[in-house]
Amino acid sequence: MGFGFRKSFKIAPGVRINTGKRGASVSLGGKGLTTNISNRGTRVTASIPKTGLSYTATSSAKPKAKAASKRRSEVSHPAEVKPVKRSILGTIFMWIGIFTVGLLIVGALAG
């Protein structure tokens, strides 16, 4: 069993800095809609509070590596990197999250 570390710091309403053993990230938003940005990519989560229902859309920062079980003849050629495919619904939720976070930041700075 290994040890873990995780700590979250609230820096403004709707803005948190998360630190852990594997790195740091920033979370923007609150209940219902949250955007998390880290070196591993961006994650937007939309949920209906008190129901347990949620939808998460992720956008990877780095392309995933292909399986290592290739034949030797295929390994001699570099693997092609394909762009990450996102669903339209995921993209919509991501932009709604970014827009909401912008409104939260502007509201926090103005108020």
Side-chain angles (χ1 to χ4, degrees), residues 29-35 44-49 53-55 93 96 100:
K31 291 182 182 180
L33 190 62
T34 304
T35 302
V44 177
T45 302
S47 65
I48 303 172
L53 297 174
S54 66
Y55 176 81
F93 275 120
I96 290 172
T100 303

Side-chain angles (χ1 to χ4, degrees), residues 9-16 27 29 104-105 108-109:
F9 302 97
K10 180 178 177 181
I11 60 172
V15 181
R16 300 183 78 78
S27 293
L104 289 171
I105 291 173
L109 294 175

Side-chain angles (χ1 to χ4, degrees), residues 6-88:
R6 182 182 176 280
K7 182 66 179 168
S8 182
F9 302 97
K10 180 178 177 181
I11 60 172
V15 181
R16 300 183 78 78
I17 294 179
N18 310 300
T19 61
K21 188 169 75 170
R22 297 178 73 185
S25 68
V26 176
S27 293
L28 308 166
K31 291 182 182 180
L33 190 62
T34 304
T35 302
N36 184 281
I37 304 165
S38 72
N39 62 347
R40 288 186 268 166
T42 302
R43 176 183 305 201
V44 177
T45 302
S47 65
I48 303 172
K50 299 182 181 181
T51 64
L53 297 174
S54 66
Y55 176 81
T56 301
T58 58
S59 172
S60 178
K62 298 177 185 175
K64 295 180 180 180
K66 290 191 175 184
S69 62
K70 298 260 183 190
R71 294 188 315 243
R72 288 183 186 237
S73 62
E74 294 176 357
V75 173
S76 62
H77 301 290
E80 292 180 26
V81 178
K82 294 182 181 178
V84 176
K85 292 182 181 177
R86 271 187 263 173
S87 69
I88 293 174

